[in-house]
Amino acid sequence: MSLQLSFRHMKPRDEVRRRVEALYAKLAAFLKETGARFPTPNPHYSEARHQRDQEWQRTKGIARLEKEHAAYLDPHYQPPGGWWQFRGK
């Protein structure tokens, strides 16, 4: 038994392009009709701050989380506050 691929079901590129354009126009009309809101760029965004925050996460942030999560493995670990402190009182 051999596997034979058939591309007869595929449509010509121009027909696909026309279909995509028609669907895009239909979607755009629907979004306009429904008053859909679109995301806008953040005017306060700073690439320098983003890079600084990413660097902090890679260095100090991960180290802080690792230390915090290591404490969970301590046999004497007591979670801070919560409903379990008042249970049975």
Side-chain angles (χ1 to χ4, degrees), residues 1-38:
M1 180 176 176
S2 67
L3 179 65
Q4 293 183 4
L5 298 176
S6 172
F7 294 99
R8 282 178 278 165
H9 67 282
M10 294 183 72
K11 298 178 180 176
R13 184 174 280 177
D14 290 338
E15 185 179 340
V16 172
R17 184 174 288 124
R18 280 193 298 271
R19 178 89 169 134
V20 167
E21 289 170 355
L23 288 171
Y24 181 80
K26 188 175 180 179
L27 174 62
F30 171 78
L31 293 174
K32 185 175 182 180
E33 176 185 314
T34 59
R37 294 176 20 182
F38 294 90

Side-chain angles (χ1 to χ4, degrees), residues 2-87:
S2 67
L3 179 65
Q4 293 183 4
L5 298 176
S6 172
F7 294 99
R8 282 178 278 165
H9 67 282
M10 294 183 72
K11 298 178 180 176
R13 184 174 280 177
D14 290 338
E15 185 179 340
V16 172
R17 184 174 288 124
R18 280 193 298 271
R19 178 89 169 134
V20 167
E21 289 170 355
L23 288 171
Y24 181 80
K26 188 175 180 179
L27 174 62
F30 171 78
L31 293 174
K32 185 175 182 180
E33 176 185 314
T34 59
R37 294 176 20 182
F38 294 90
T40 58
N42 180 353
H44 305 292
Y45 175 76
S46 164
E47 180 65 29
R49 180 169 182 182
H50 175 74
Q51 292 300 326
R52 187 189 72 208
D53 291 348
Q54 291 290 310
E55 183 61 27
W56 185 89
Q57 282 294 339
R58 279 192 291 276
T59 57
K60 297 177 185 172
I62 290 176
R64 183 183 59 81
L65 286 175
E66 287 176 348
K67 182 178 178 183
E68 180 183 324
H69 293 169
Y72 299 151
L73 301 176
D74 183 346
H76 303 293
Y77 174 75
Q78 290 292 323
W83 61 268
W84 55 86
Q85 285 185 332
F86 305 106
R87 202 165 159 220

